[in-house]
Amino acid sequence: MTTTPKIDSGIEDFKNDLGKPWRYEEDGYTVTRACAWSAPGCHPVGCGVKLYVNKDGILEKVEGDENQPITQGRLCMRCLTLTDFTYHPDRVIYPMKRAKEDRGKDKWERITWDEAYDIIEENIQGLKEKYGPESIVVFGGTGREGGPMCGPYGAAMIGTPNACYTQSGYACYIPRVAAGTYVAGVTYPEMDYAGGLPGRYDDPMYKIPEVMITWGKEPLPSNGDGFFGHAVIDVMKRGSKLISIDPRSNWLSTRAVYHLQLRPGTDTALGMAMLNIIISEDLYDHDFVDKYCYGFEQLAERVKTMTPEMAAEICDLDVDDIYGATRMYACADNAAILWGLATDQKANGTQSGHTIIALEAITGNLDIPGGQLLGDVSDSLGDLGFGWKELGPELQNKIIGLYEYPAYVGMVLNSHADLTLEAMETGEPYEIHGGFIASTNLLAGTCAAQPKRWHDAMVKLDFVFAADCWITPTIQCCADVILPLATYAERQSMVGTHYGASPNMLGAVVDAVKVGETKGDLEIQYELGCRLNPGTYERFKDFEDFRSEFRLGNLGMSYEELREKVVVQRNVSYKKYETGKLRPDGKPGFNTPTGRVELYSTMYKQFGEDPLPYYEEPQRSPVSTPELMEEYPFVLTTGARTYAYFHSEGKQIPLLREVNPDPLLEMNPKDAEKLGIIDGEWVKVANEFGECQLKAKVTPIVKEGVVHAQHGFWFPEEDGEEPHLFGVWRCNINELIPHKFVGKLGFGAPFKCVICKVEKLNK
Amino acid sequence: MRNGLLIDYEFCTGCQSCEVACQKEHGFEAGTWGIRVLDEGPWEVDAKTMNWNKIPTPTTLCDLCAERTQQGKLPSCVHHCLAAVMKYGPIDELVKEMDKKPNQVMFVPGPYICK
Ligand code: SF4
Ligand code: SF4
Ligand code: SF4
């Protein structure tokens, strides 16, 4: 009998490609082994792929590479359909330009790279001279190499401080990173899934987590931040038990011992109550708290204000489940919290993150096998800060939002999303004239709240260029030049879990095939940077020299060596707070002002935020706005991930579209019955901020009074010209998300907790 | 001995990689499948229990990847399954595997005898 060569099988009498070199010949194909990352967009999981290129130089098929120690041959449907993405007739594979007066029209004309660069240089340099470099904004997205490169695209390539991930309150990842950085001096404590250990789950250093909590995270389809989601299944097969904290039942929560189906946006109340139980029942790790925590007494005082009974009321949970789940987590020998995007997506998100780090710390689960793995001080978000120093203080201080939200803007060196939109609209603090759309489809209900406002601001810009694989609605409405972006099968780069900030693995992205004249983000940054901001790039001999510093930085290996190995697992060590590896000065402890995990955060205090976690209701909710509930009786949560798409990407690929053809609104059968809505019917969803149309999916996975909407839909098969723009406004759930409903530090926005009404379309 | 597919639906996550891997392997267009993941749920057993099983079911087009398995390779669905819950082999061995844990199902695809 044969089965997949997974660690958990044991039966292996079949032919496989274990031990094959990075490139080999087979049955008329040249097969290249590599790690997948962008484009298509995905978190930096770096799943192992074998790229089969035929004699004519065509990528004919993609299979999973069983040599990749984490994914071991497994692939999701998005990489399985890479050939359909690569050769899709709509794909942009040559540079193109369009006259400014033809914006919004399908009047693109093929040009050479030289001409494209000439046009960009002339326009961008002209705007820089006339209005200052700060008048140009780089609009960054997620999931492509251009996402984390948004900062360098701005500071290094163009010479503007204003790189902007346009999601209101940067409500994705960075609030969690901020909690990690400010409270514990680490980037992001990820669940340890033995990704860096040669023996994986059987490695003598490793121990599977006795208990896992998925908290506002659906890791199986999302693979957030490069964590291979199905590792959760791997460890569950080996005995890990699961607690799920999520307003929706997802398939995974049906396999959980406890499913705490809380009201959207109330996570901090739950986190505080859990801390309360652990402290009052003396379930915490005294030794760790004594040696490595700061402010335990103050935290204990604070969480007394949130009894489990109060949290049960606030979160709409059974209090016995809160007790049961908390004890199960705290009493486990080792336990891991997988904390997801949902913790970021509310104004109170920083505090949710704070409670989660505090839980991980006081239970002694930080940096132990099968607990929360910490990156050491030399692991960092690779692209952050490249070119920033060279900007000089005058330009640095012009970054939008620095004075209003220093904890946000100063940490991630991004202009504040909401204030950037306001600057584009009002010309305050100064006018914005140019833009670079770097791998973001921000209008398509992906990241920007109130996308029509962004649209109206972007179409006014004097000059806009873009790098992408597709003419998206965002590009169609305002870009003047498009640079064709390579897939991961067409370029050379590297991928690392958590963008390099987690000690799991690094993999080679390898060019197996040439398609049109596409280029990768690295080449675009270097080539355009040499023209637009030569001072920053003149220290590099050539592109290879630039790449090895920028991308391979502290790896200690050339690209060719990495390519030969395909994957490198990173050295893992535990309890680094004992060995000094968490601090630049090599002293034991954590990289915070007090050297400890600051349960009472001196950094928050310095920024004018409460140093201790507190609960705050979402700005719109049955509790904070009861007067609005008659008109808008539903709590709306949005944006759960699917296997078929990475946010707005993939709608043109028939095998993906078939899996998720229409944007769905999940609603409870009892609510549907009350409104006379039947499964599969199109409905109108609206609130005081906007409206859209979605297809009702009547399902018990959401509680009565809660609806969940899919995001990121546009319709590449429909009319792409203005004003229709591929139907991007019809189903755009982000129209219902308000502008600047952010937390005190500027982080977080209620993508997962507003209110709305639902109506039959033809009432 | 016939060959079959053994699937552990306690851990099948419904990722549908098997569907797409099969479509790509056989060149099937959208609307044609060699295997489909059927949704047995979600429905509430009681206030705290949700029944939800994903049952991947081979269609009449499943040829157990004859071409691949003749070369000694695994069927494409088995190879790519994200949860690693699919096994392929002679049914007597699969039956032994089946005895090891509950919540598994075995399919033995082949031509219909009625036609
Ligand atoms: S998670 Fe899916 S899209 Fe992302 S790299 Fe892996 S197979 Fe590719
Ligand atoms: S065994 Fe082959 S033909 Fe059958 S379902 Fe799996 S991939 Fe399709
Ligand atoms: S690929 Fe595996 S886990 Fe995914 S649906 Fe198919 S059988 Fe289930």
Side-chain angles (χ1 to χ4, degrees):
Chain A
M1 175 173 50
T2 50
T3 179
T4 36
K6 306 295 149 36
I7 273 168
D8 35 17
S9 75
I11 312 143
E12 299 187 8
D13 61 343
F14 59 94
K15 203 172 118 193
N16 62 46
D17 293 322
L18 289 171
K20 289 266 169 74
W22 74 276
R23 183 165 279 171
Y24 58 94
E25 301 294 318
E26 182 184 304
D27 299 338
Y29 294 104
T30 300
V31 186
T32 304
R33 290 178 43 225
C35 292
W37 187 43
S38 126
C42 184
H43 292 269
V45 193
C47 295
V49 285
K50 292 179 285 188
L51 304 165
Y52 290 77
V53 175
N54 70 17
K55 290 271 177 274
D56 303 321
I58 302 290
L59 177 69
E60 220 173 87
K61 65 173 174 172
V62 177
E63 290 209 6
D65 179 11
E66 48 274 67
N67 293 281
Q68 211 276 25
I70 296 168
T71 55
Q72 298 174 307
R74 299 175 268 189
L75 287 182
C76 85
M77 61 175 77
R78 303 195 300 277
C79 274
L80 284 166
T81 53
L82 180 69
T83 54
D84 304 329
F85 185 107
T86 306
Y87 299 112
H88 194 286
D90 292 352
R91 180 157 172 222
V92 177
I93 55 172
Y94 300 105
M96 297 200 287
K97 70 172 179 184
R98 182 176 62 180
K100 195 174 164 199
E101 58 273 20
D102 288 330
R103 282 184 181 178
K105 297 196 186 126
D106 188 17
K107 293 211 169 163
W108 295 97
E109 182 193 330
R110 180 177 164 184
I111 52 176
T112 63
W113 274 95
D114 271 339
E115 187 180 351
Y117 282 162
D118 286 344
I119 298 172
I120 293 167
E121 188 179 345
E122 187 192 324
N123 283 278
I124 292 293
Q125 301 304 62
L127 293 175
K128 278 161 70 176
E129 271 157 40
K130 200 155 164 203
Y131 305 104
E134 70 276 13
S135 71
I136 322 269
V137 173
V138 177
F139 304 102
T142 187
R144 300 243 194 98
E145 190 164 33
M149 209 192 278
C150 170
Y153 264 149
M157 182 180 90
I158 294 176
T160 171
N162 290 319
C164 183
Y165 174 60
T166 61
Q167 183 158 37
S168 177
Y170 213 130
C172 170
Y173 192 52
I174 294 301
R176 277 168 290 159
V177 170
T181 306
Y182 293 138
V183 175
V186 296
T187 42
Y188 181 96
E190 181 58 275
M191 168 180 145
D192 176 23
Y193 58 113
L197 296 172
R200 293 295 322 277
Y201 307 118
D202 297 325
D203 197 284
M205 278 173 77
Y206 187 68
K207 200 170 149 212
I208 63 150
E210 196 177 313
V211 173
M212 291 179 291
I213 301 183
T214 49
W215 193 322
K217 181 168 190 136
E218 208 180 348
L220 306 176
S222 71
N223 302 292
D225 321 308
F227 171 85
F228 175 61
H230 277 74
V232 168
I233 304 297
D234 294 349
V235 295
M236 285 175 81
K237 286 184 190 166
R238 298 171 158 247
S240 292
K241 299 285 180 257
L242 183 71
I243 295 165
S244 165
I245 300 177
D246 201 307
R248 293 161 78 237
S249 295
N250 46 50
W251 173 87
L252 189 57
S253 70
T254 67
R255 299 312 191 250
V257 179
Y258 286 99
H259 176 200
L260 305 184
Q261 201 169 358
L262 78 179
R263 175 162 65 88
T266 61
D267 312 57
T268 313
L270 178 61
M272 289 174 71
M274 291 172 74
L275 287 163
N276 179 329
I277 294 169
I278 292 170
I279 295 171
S280 60
E281 297 189 359
D282 196 10
L283 304 177
Y284 61 94
D285 182 332
H286 286 254
D287 191 48
F288 187 86
V289 168
D290 291 346
K291 282 195 192 134
Y292 296 108
C293 293
Y294 173 83
F296 179 75
E297 299 305 325
Q298 289 101 315
L299 178 78
E301 274 308 304
R302 175 60 61 85
V303 299
K304 267 192 208 149
T305 63
M306 181 61 73
T307 64
E309 289 68 24
M310 284 165 70
E313 176 82 30
I314 292 170
C315 305
D316 190 18
L317 292 172
D318 182 337
V319 73
D320 294 337
D321 289 345
I322 300 181
Y323 278 106
T326 306
R327 289 170 186 152
M328 181 174 154
Y329 169 69
C331 296
D333 272 352
N334 64 341
I337 300 178
L338 294 113
W339 45 323
L341 174 77
T343 51
D344 302 329
Q345 299 205 319
K346 53 188 173 291
N348 194 216
T350 311
Q351 286 70 35
S352 303
H354 191 161
T355 60
I356 290 171
I357 298 233
L359 283 165
E360 296 165 352
I362 70 166
T363 54
N365 280 307
L366 286 182
D367 222 21
I368 62 166
Q372 314 289 154
L373 190 62
L374 305 181
D376 69 38
V377 70
S378 61
D379 300 328
S380 65
L381 299 174
D383 300 5
L384 190 63
F386 185 78
W388 184 254
K389 197 169 79 238
E390 291 84 344
L391 278 182
E394 196 189 325
L395 273 176
Q396 287 173 352
N397 289 334
K398 283 192 175 159
I399 186 170
I400 296 167
L402 182 63
Y403 299 102
E404 296 87 339
Y405 299 119
Y408 168 137
V409 173
M411 185 188 81
V412 72
L413 303 181
N414 247 236
S415 66
H416 190 272
D418 302 80
L419 297 183
T420 302
L421 173 60
E422 290 176 15
M424 289 163 70
E425 290 175 335
T426 64
E428 295 296 333
Y430 45 78
E431 290 180 1
I432 304 298
H433 288 274
F436 172 31
I437 304 170
S439 284
T440 176
N441 189 4
L442 65 101
L443 300 186
T446 51
C447 48
Q450 297 293 298
K452 276 188 190 149
R453 278 177 66 175
W454 282 90
H455 168 272
D456 296 349
M458 288 175 80
V459 297
K460 284 191 327 206
L461 297 174
D462 297 332
F463 178 74
V464 179
F465 69 107
D468 211 306
C469 306
W470 309 96
I471 297 175
T472 64
T474 309
I475 288 173
Q476 184 77 307
C477 75
C478 66
D480 305 307
V481 173
I482 310 181
L483 305 175
L485 203 62
T487 68
Y488 64 77
E490 299 155 32
R491 65 192 191 92
Q492 299 185 343
S493 187
M494 191 194 84
V495 50
T497 323
H498 279 271
Y499 309 96
S502 170
N504 284 296
M505 72 109 208
L506 299 170
V509 172
V510 185
D511 51 335
V513 74
K514 181 109 194 85
V515 178
E517 294 175 1
T518 64
K519 292 188 190 206
D521 285 294
L522 280 175
E523 288 160 281
I524 293 172
Q525 190 210 133
Y526 179 73
E527 291 172 2
L528 258 183
C530 288
R531 284 170 171 250
L532 301 178
N533 199 22
T536 298
Y537 293 86
E538 64 199 6
R539 70 173 189 272
F540 302 114
K541 256 197 343 272
D542 51 21
F543 171 69
E544 274 70 35
D545 189 33
F546 156 75
R547 183 178 61 193
S548 54
E549 179 186 316
F550 181 79
R551 198 36 92 232
L552 302 167
N554 49 17
L555 184 61
M557 183 183 294
S558 70
Y559 173 76
E560 286 70 24
E561 287 169 287
L562 176 66
R563 185 174 63 185
E564 187 106 16
K565 293 190 181 356
V566 188
V567 182
V568 183
Q569 283 178 294
R570 304 183 71 183
N571 286 337
V572 174
S573 64
Y574 296 106
K575 295 200 175 178
K576 292 185 281 292
Y577 45 82
E578 290 179 351
T579 57
K581 284 193 192 160
L582 296 179
R583 291 176 57 89
D585 60 9
K587 291 200 182 126
F590 289 81
N591 194 16
T592 59
T594 59
R596 293 164 177 247
V597 177
E598 298 193 345
L599 304 172
Y600 176 99
S601 168
T602 61
M603 296 291 282
Y604 284 170
K605 192 174 172 199
Q606 200 179 313
F607 287 124
E609 175 60 285
D610 190 332
L612 292 164
Y614 58 90
Y615 175 64
E616 213 169 58
E617 270 289 315
Q619 299 98 329
R620 296 287 182 276
S621 85
V623 176
S624 54
T625 50
E627 71 284 1
L628 294 177
M629 296 314 286
E630 199 173 324
E631 186 165 8
Y632 305 115
F634 292 100
V635 174
L636 168 66
T637 178
T638 74
R641 297 304 147 75
T642 64
Y643 291 101
Y645 304 127
F646 189 74
H647 301 294
S648 71
E649 192 178 69
K651 305 289 182 294
Q652 320 72 344
I653 311 300
L655 293 180
L656 301 181
R657 187 69 178 275
E658 167 170 83
V659 172
N660 191 167
D662 300 306
L664 301 175
L665 180 81
E666 293 162 353
M667 65 188 312
N668 188 278
K670 290 194 182 123
D671 288 326
E673 199 187 318
K674 266 183 250 158
L675 295 171
I677 288 167
I678 51 170
D679 189 58
E681 169 177 350
W682 286 90
V683 294
K684 178 172 131 183
V685 191
N687 64 14
E688 59 192 296
F689 309 109
E691 63 174 71
C692 72
Q693 297 175 15
L694 300 167
K695 199 173 197 174
K697 165 106 183 149
V698 179
T699 167
I701 71 170
V702 284
K703 285 188 185 174
E704 269 183 271
V706 175
V707 290
H708 165 259
Q710 288 189 331
H711 72 302
F713 262 82
W714 59 294
F715 304 89
E717 68 278 13
E718 294 183 11
D719 175 13
E721 299 201 332
E722 287 272 21
H724 192 73
L725 284 181
F726 303 105
V728 72
W729 306 120
R730 187 168 71 246
C731 305
N732 202 319
I733 194 64
N734 283 6
E735 279 296 312
L736 282 76
I737 309 299
H739 171 74
K740 211 164 83 180
F741 272 38
V742 299
K744 245 188 226 157
L745 299 181
F747 290 121
F751 286 84
K752 297 201 190 289
C753 47
V754 286
I755 55 174
C756 71
K757 64 181 172 185
V758 180
E759 287 173 357
K760 284 172 86 73
L761 254 191
N762 306 310
K763 215 162 69 173
Chain B
M1 178 72 62
R2 290 183 196 285
N3 288 309
L5 292 172
L6 179 68
I7 299 164
D8 178 349
Y9 60 85
E10 179 174 352
F11 289 114
C12 164
T13 60
C15 74
Q16 291 167 280
S17 273
C18 50
E19 288 184 4
V20 177
C22 180
Q23 287 172 315
K24 291 301 288 180
E25 177 66 24
H26 293 79
F28 295 151
E29 305 274 321
T32 305
W33 296 269
I35 187 166
R36 293 195 81 180
V37 181
L38 303 185
D39 236 355
E40 200 280 286
W43 53 273
E44 279 174 307
V45 181
D46 56 48
K48 297 220 165 146
T49 323
M50 186 77 75
N51 179 90
W52 201 351
N53 292 312
K54 307 280 187 173
I55 316 279
T57 307
T59 73
T60 48
L61 295 184
C62 170
D63 63 354
L64 285 170
C65 281
E67 211 176 298
R68 288 175 70 98
T69 48
Q70 265 157 28
Q71 295 166 7
K73 290 185 182 175
L74 284 172
S76 189
C77 57
V78 178
H79 180 103
H80 291 104
C81 173
L82 278 180
V85 295
M86 306 181 88
K87 292 187 168 89
Y88 164 79
I91 55 177
D92 59 343
E93 285 191 42
L94 295 179
V95 167
K96 276 188 234 152
E97 274 306 294
M98 243 174 150
D99 194 34
K100 290 185 186 162
K101 80 175 281 298
N103 302 309
Q104 303 191 80
V105 58
M106 182 163 71
F107 288 99
V108 189
Y112 286 155
I113 58 165
C114 61
K115 285 197 182 168

